[in-house]
Amino acid sequence: MLNENNAKNSLLADAGKRLEQALKHVDISEDAIARLQHPKTSLSVSIPVRMDDGSLKVFSGYRVRYDDTRGAGKGGVRYHPGVNLDEVQSLAFWMTFKCALLDLPFGGAKGGITVNPKELSKAELERLSRGYIDAIADAIGIDVDILAPDVYTNAVIMGWMMDQYSTIKRTLCRGVVTGKPLTLGGSKGRDTATAMGAFTVIQAMLPKFKLLPAKTTVAIQGFGNAGATLAGLLAEAGYKVVAVSDSKGGIYAPQGLDIASVSEHKNKSREMKAVYCHNPLCSIVEHQAISNQELLALDVDVLIPAALENQITLANVQDIRAKYIFEVANGPINYDADQILTQQGTYVFPDILVNAGGVTVSYFEWVQNRHGWYWTLAEVNQRLQEKMQIEAEQVWLISQDLKIDLRTAAYVQALKRLGEALDAKGNRNYFVNSSV
């Protein structure tokens, strides 16, 4: 589906292959397909930053608005050494379909800076964040393209970005950035939205397979904000979370982990240990130290990749033993591995559905900013759960009706909505066969 130039980009080409499967099951005009082959805008910028030691360092930044037919671009900004234009374009492409799948009035966008944020001081991070906004200010806006947190960005960084944009525009522009601190117009529930959305999908789907929480084992790769929060929600609901990991490695305990204690210990010591904490005291309990690859290969019922993209590929797909995979990360399974998992009867619940809680509550924050009317946490979570349940059930019904895998079903639904919006502006059939 993607053009020849895009085909050279591995991530974007891989994303395009998913659409080719969906196109077999949806009636969409050639015009719509042609427009979805190209990002609307793709911006690369240089960001000079004065470092604490007085030296000047120049960082590479990107912002891509892939499509805005259904509304302003929407997507996060990630800080990571591996950020490049191909990755950002791919993520913007996925965001386009994620927003359409959740029926949000947004298009897809994404941004990033090639940087290891752990090597920068807080003051350097602030200067970098404000410099990024200086560089892309003309390409974003409350009705143009709206930013949000992503990998290694957080509410504080989003606050700096909103403040810098407001300074440039000489007016308070809260809605240009979501995921902000509450005192700067953020929404309650935004920090847990991705995990809460994923939890809602899991709770809606697993009963269809007669899986009871107490008898369901779970392994989670990625113990960042989304992964750690989701682990806690699952544990509280009675699921047996037996393994978790971060970028350095993981822990495995067949008897199950006390997630609250693991999180507490990780926050204090930055170490992944199987512990049980009582008041201020934490005791190490029996566990096995494992690598991220070993975690992926564990014999568990549910596997949740919640780290980065391309974690399951042809190199390790045969090691995967979980029957149910819920993608909390973006693109954790590449196309070739995905085909093998489907052939083996593995149920893969796709990222554009499972991790859509974040963008959904970002939409809620944008609405609240525009109206100046803020909701309680209970109201936010109720609206989020209702939205996620409705769309998860719709994907399931499409999958069952067309006898297709869940990822293809999700793209079918998203393509229908995108096609309708694109064709509403006119297509070949309209201009050739109808009169005004």
Side-chain angles (χ1 to χ4, degrees):
M1 173 177 174
L2 300 177
N3 63 28
E4 291 183 2
N5 289 332
N6 284 339
K8 298 176 183 177
N9 298 326
S10 58
L11 279 177
L12 195 55
D14 195 82
K17 291 176 183 177
R18 314 295 175 97
L19 281 191
E20 292 175 3
Q21 299 289 326
L23 285 170
K24 301 173 185 177
H25 304 281
V26 62
D27 183 17
I28 184 172
S29 71
E30 293 181 0
D31 294 48
I33 295 173
R35 291 172 68 176
L36 288 171
Q37 288 180 344
H38 308 271
K40 182 165 185 177
T41 65
S42 184
L43 180 63
S44 299
V45 298
S46 296
I47 311 163
V49 176
R50 184 67 62 187
M51 309 303 283
D52 290 345
D53 64 2
S55 64
L56 184 72
K57 190 169 183 178
V58 180
F59 297 86
S60 296
Y62 309 93
R63 188 68 189 177
V64 173
R65 187 168 10 126
Y66 202 93
D67 182 81
D68 59 4
T69 307
R70 289 172 49 86
K74 185 75 185 73
V77 180
R78 65 173 49 182
Y79 289 1
H80 193 273
V83 166
N84 56 52
L85 184 58
D86 171 40
E87 178 186 58
V88 174
Q89 284 188 333
S90 302
L91 293 167
F93 179 84
W94 281 322
M95 280 298 298
T96 299
F97 291 88
K98 186 184 300 183
C99 291
L101 177 62
L102 270 292
D103 203 17
L104 305 177
F106 288 142
K110 209 74 176 187
I113 301 175
T114 309
V115 60
N116 183 353
K118 297 178 182 178
E119 296 177 351
L120 273 60
S121 70
K122 291 182 179 179
E124 289 168 339
L125 274 176
E126 180 179 7
R127 291 194 287 272
L128 176 65
S129 302
R130 291 181 181 275
Y132 177 67
I133 296 301
D134 287 342
I136 69 167
D138 292 336
I140 62 176
I142 191 171
D143 289 312
V144 180
D145 186 0
I146 304 145
L147 282 57
D150 198 83
V151 175
Y152 290 129
T153 53
N154 57 24
V156 173
I157 291 173
M158 293 301 106
W160 290 335
M161 290 184 176
M162 184 273 288
D163 183 65
Q164 188 65 19
Y165 185 82
S166 297
T167 299
I168 293 169
K169 297 300 181 179
R170 296 292 191 267
T171 186
L172 185 59
C173 303
R174 285 178 171 159
V176 73
V177 172
T178 60
K180 307 179 293 294
L182 292 178
T183 54
L184 296 180
S187 173
K188 292 179 180 178
R190 178 59 185 87
D191 56 341
T192 59
T194 301
M196 182 63 73
F199 177 69
T200 301
V201 174
I202 292 170
Q203 287 282 76
M205 293 295 107
L206 287 185
K208 298 181 184 300
F209 305 97
K210 311 300 182 186
L211 289 178
L212 300 175
K215 296 183 178 181
T216 303
T217 54
V218 181
I220 302 177
Q221 183 205 36
F223 206 66
N225 179 53
T229 303
L230 178 56
L233 290 170
L234 290 169
E236 289 174 10
Y239 291 88
K240 194 175 182 180
V241 181
V242 299
V244 295
S245 68
D246 61 12
S247 59
K248 297 177 182 178
I251 52 177
Y252 170 56
Q255 72 274 17
L257 297 165
D258 185 74
I259 295 300
S261 296
V262 172
S263 295
E264 181 181 341
H265 185 75
K266 173 73 184 294
N267 291 335
K268 289 180 179 178
S269 68
R270 314 308 300 169
E271 293 181 338
M272 293 290 293
K273 296 283 187 182
V275 298
Y276 175 74
C277 297
H278 181 65
N279 295 326
L281 300 176
C282 293
S283 301
I284 295 177
V285 299
E286 184 178 352
H287 69 278
Q288 178 183 347
I290 59 173
S291 68
N292 273 288
Q293 287 302 313
E294 288 172 329
L295 182 145
L296 293 173
L298 288 174
D299 186 9
V300 294
D301 299 310
V302 175
L303 176 62
I304 301 175
L308 296 172
E309 52 276 347
N310 280 337
Q311 297 300 299
I312 300 176
T313 65
L314 285 178
N316 64 353
V317 66
Q318 298 295 348
D319 299 329
I320 305 301
R321 292 190 279 177
K323 182 74 172 179
Y324 309 94
I325 300 177
F326 291 83
E327 295 182 325
V328 173
N330 287 307
I333 306 173
N334 75 7
Y335 176 80
D336 293 328
D338 204 17
Q339 301 308 297
I340 292 174
L341 290 171
T342 298
Q343 292 168 7
Q344 293 177 347
T346 304
Y347 290 90
V348 179
F349 294 84
D351 48 4
I352 64 169
L353 170 65
V354 178
N355 70 19
V359 70
T360 301
V361 176
S362 278
Y363 165 58
F364 296 165
E365 182 175 330
W366 180 74
V367 169
Q368 292 170 81
N369 289 161
R370 301 197 69 150
H371 289 274
W373 184 265
Y374 293 85
W375 308 337
T376 65
L377 178 60
E379 289 173 324
V380 170
N381 284 338
Q382 179 184 353
R383 287 181 167 96
L384 171 62
Q385 289 166 358
E386 289 175 353
K387 192 70 170 170
M388 298 298 296
Q389 286 172 349
I390 288 171
E391 300 305 336
E393 289 292 342
Q394 189 63 35
V395 169
W396 175 259
L397 289 173
I398 292 172
S399 172
Q400 296 299 296
D401 183 48
L402 299 179
K403 295 180 173 53
I404 55 178
D405 63 272
L406 292 156
R407 189 186 310 279
T408 302
Y411 276 101
V412 165
Q413 178 72 334
L415 270 171
K416 285 180 180 178
R417 288 171 173 160
L418 281 166
E420 290 170 357
L422 288 161
D423 288 344
K425 296 184 177 181
N427 56 31
R428 179 182 179 183
N429 183 63
Y430 172 82
F431 288 108
V432 170
N433 300 318
S434 66
S435 58
V436 177

